[in-house]
Amino acid sequence: MIEALHTNKQVYLTYYKNGQRITETGFIQFVDSLGNLFIFIDDVFELKNKMRLSELIDVRLA
């Protein structure tokens, strides 16, 4: 996740939302490990999504 943030590489992000497992591609814009959150920009609509780190299942470089 930190590598993707610093190199602006695209990632596959898998997380829980409303009890469902979702996988999206996009870019990590911001990570706050103390505040338990990160900002992810999705590849399709280029929307900023603020999420909790605790909702993450998996992050992989694309």
Side-chain angles (χ1 to χ4, degrees), residues 1-59:
M1 190 170 206
I2 297 301
E3 179 183 349
L5 174 66
H6 290 294
T7 61
N8 201 35
K9 290 185 179 177
Q10 189 175 32
V11 294
Y12 293 111
L13 189 71
T14 305
Y15 60 94
Y16 283 115
K17 185 174 183 178
N18 298 328
Q20 294 186 345
R21 184 178 164 166
I22 298 171
T23 300
E24 292 187 69
T25 58
F27 299 90
I28 304 293
Q29 184 180 44
F30 176 79
V31 177
D32 179 3
S33 58
L34 294 176
N36 188 36
L37 67 92
F38 69 100
I39 297 175
F40 173 75
I41 300 176
D42 72 64
D43 198 29
V44 178
F45 300 109
E46 297 183 2
L47 296 174
K48 286 185 180 181
N49 300 292
K50 190 182 290 185
M51 294 187 233
R52 297 178 190 262
L53 288 168
S54 57
E55 295 173 335
L56 276 178
I57 300 170
D58 190 32
V59 178

